[in-house]
């Protein structure tokens, strides 16, 4: 069975850091992303990585603060989040896609076939 299991969320003060992990099993995917959803808001992509060429993508409001990475040996995806702001408060989900995703669709949730259960990050 394919599984994506997130961990690492929690409560942190503004300006602090959190590292999220997403352990993947059952398949080797090409494209991984982190999405987030705040209460009453739509799910939005924040960072993505293409494991084929190692390229990464970020939305503007997390650039220079968030870093996405993948440990291929552990088949685990990470999101290092620094300089956190209250507006970063959300449920964070990892997502995995089988195919190469064009950059203009990298944060389109329809490109991803599997999703984790989510991990809450609260910034106060």
């Amino acid at each position: 069975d394919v599984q994506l299991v997130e961990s690492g969320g929690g409560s942190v003060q503004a300006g602090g850091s959190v590292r999220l992990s997403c352990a993947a099993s059952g398949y080797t995917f090409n494209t991984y992303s982190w999405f987030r959803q705040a209460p009453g808001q739509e799910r939005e992509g924040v960072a993505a990585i293409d494991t084929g060429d190692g390229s990464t993508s970020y939305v503007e409001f997390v650039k220079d603060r968030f870093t996405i990475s993948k440990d291929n040996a552990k088949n685990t995806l990470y999101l290092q989040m620094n300089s956190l702001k209250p507006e970063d408060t959300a449920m964070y989900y990892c997502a995995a896609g089988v195919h190469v995703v064009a950059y203009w669709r990298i944060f389109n949730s329809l490109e991803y076939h599997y999703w984790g259960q989510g991990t809450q990050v609260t910034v106060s």
Side-chain angles (χ1 to χ4, degrees):
D1 288 352
V2 175
Q3 280 193 315
L4 298 176
V5 180
E6 298 107 333
S7 61
S11 296
V12 62
Q13 290 190 339
S17 298
V18 167
R19 189 177 80 158
L20 305 182
S21 301
C22 173
S25 61
Y27 196 82
T28 301
F29 297 94
N30 184 83
T31 310
Y32 294 84
S33 281
W34 286 98
F35 285 75
R36 70 185 188 187
Q37 187 168 22
Q41 297 187 23
E42 293 187 355
R43 189 173 296 189
E44 60 183 0
V46 297
I49 185 167
D50 182 314
T51 61
D53 62 11
S55 59
T56 57
S57 302
Y58 299 92
V59 293
E60 190 62 33
F61 52 80
V62 305
K63 278 184 180 178
D64 300 326
R65 297 192 299 125
F66 291 9
T67 303
I68 188 171
S69 62
K70 175 113 181 333
D71 184 328
N72 290 327
K74 296 181 179 179
N75 208 19
T76 299
L77 180 73
Y78 300 99
L79 184 67
Q80 177 67 43
M81 304 189 292
N82 299 327
S83 302
L84 283 162
K85 305 175 182 180
E87 51 264 44
D88 294 317
T89 294
M91 185 73 79
Y92 283 73
Y93 300 89
C94 67
V98 172
H99 307 296
V100 173
V101 179
Y103 75 92
W104 61 87
R105 291 183 61 83
I106 200 72
F107 294 127
N108 186 323
S109 60
L110 296 177
E111 296 290 345
Y112 297 91
H113 306 88
Y114 293 94
W115 293 79
Q117 81 287 354
T119 185
Q120 177 70 36
V121 175
T122 302
V123 185
S124 59

